[in-house]
Amino acid sequence: MASFDLDQLKAFVAVADAGSISAGAAQVFRSQSAISEQLQKLERAAGAVLLLRSRQGVAPTAAGQRLLAHARQLLALGELALHDVRRELRRTDLRLGISDYYRPDEIAGLLRHLARHCPQLRLQVALGTSAAIARGHAEGAYDVALIMQVESTATRAAGAGAPLRREALAWVAAAGLDLRAEEELPLVLLPPDCALHRLAVERLRKHRSACRLAHQASGVAGLQAALRAGLGVGCLNASAIGDGLAVAQSPRLPALPGCSFRLILPSPGANAALREAGAALHAYFA
């Protein structure tokens, strides 16, 4: 089975971080010619140019940027494996809050991945509305928080980095649901502290579309079930539109903005293990 050589990846990361082959060679205590040979072998294995060379130094190509993220994870995992075998692995408790809207059908797989690739983490995971998760992080209940924000109205949460993922928002209902006979659009939403609840009601009022709350769910799974049952129309991000649901089309439904998911990392004053865990989560989500 084809794979990458860890020594070559280590050389690649060192050179990419240092900005030149000579500086990268010094970081890994190898000669410049030896590092150049490692990089050539790595590019042959990848089948792509990974670094652009100029008088100013080196910079990763698009392919190099993609490999760089994988290389950091592979090197970190190799280090963890070595510490684990030597029984030197230090466990880190990490309290993770995740927006209920974030890829709801993939959360189990995400947690399995983290458990497998970040064995030093002892995860405590909570799902909830972005408002509750962000508030919990601010109050110290979570070390890392993944929240959703509506792009047209949101201000960046304190400590949140660049968006990890952008998605469209859409009006959603059971496939084939006919709303033409409804004088008031029946809404299926989460509680009022949910950003999408407020967005849906506000947009419909501005659009002068009469509406009523037909069902209030406690979580996205319950909201999806109510929508599949034909109880009304709701507002969901693209990755939360599951089987049996479809984008609702009606002149009574106004246009919606997009949304973004952001990761709020541990504060700079947090211990090193938590900061490293936050960086590992950022690399995974990104």
Side-chain angles (χ1 to χ4, degrees), residues 169-219:
L169 293 174
W171 297 104
V172 178
L177 181 66
D178 189 351
L179 298 170
R180 288 175 296 181
E182 298 281 352
E183 292 185 7
E184 296 180 313
L185 289 171
L187 300 181
V188 177
L189 301 170
L190 293 190
D193 67 341
C194 170
L196 296 193
H197 179 123
R198 297 193 300 271
L199 174 71
V201 172
E202 176 188 328
R203 288 297 173 101
L204 288 169
R205 285 175 178 167
K206 286 184 178 179
H207 198 62
R208 299 185 183 278
S209 294
C211 60
R212 62 181 176 84
L213 183 62
H215 180 83
Q216 181 170 290
S218 59

Side-chain angles (χ1 to χ4, degrees), residues 247-271:
V247 174
Q249 304 289 345
S250 170
R252 301 164 66 187
L253 296 172
L256 293 170
C259 68
S260 62
F261 289 93
R262 296 177 181 270
L263 194 66
I264 310 178
L265 295 171
S267 67
N271 68 59

Side-chain angles (χ1 to χ4, degrees), residues 73-124:
Q73 290 182 335
L74 289 169
L75 292 173
L77 186 59
E79 185 177 349
L80 285 172
L82 180 61
H83 289 319
D84 193 19
V85 169
R86 291 176 174 177
R87 299 185 182 277
E88 297 172 353
L89 187 60
R90 294 184 179 180
R91 299 289 179 183
T92 300
D93 290 322
L94 183 76
R95 299 164 301 167
L96 174 62
I98 302 177
S99 166
D100 211 8
Y101 286 106
Y102 183 80
R103 303 187 189 183
D105 294 334
E106 301 177 25
I107 291 296
L110 180 154
L111 297 180
R112 281 196 301 271
H113 176 92
L114 290 177
R116 187 183 312 118
H117 293 279
C118 300
Q120 85 279 21
L121 297 183
R122 286 191 297 221
L123 289 172
Q124 301 172 27

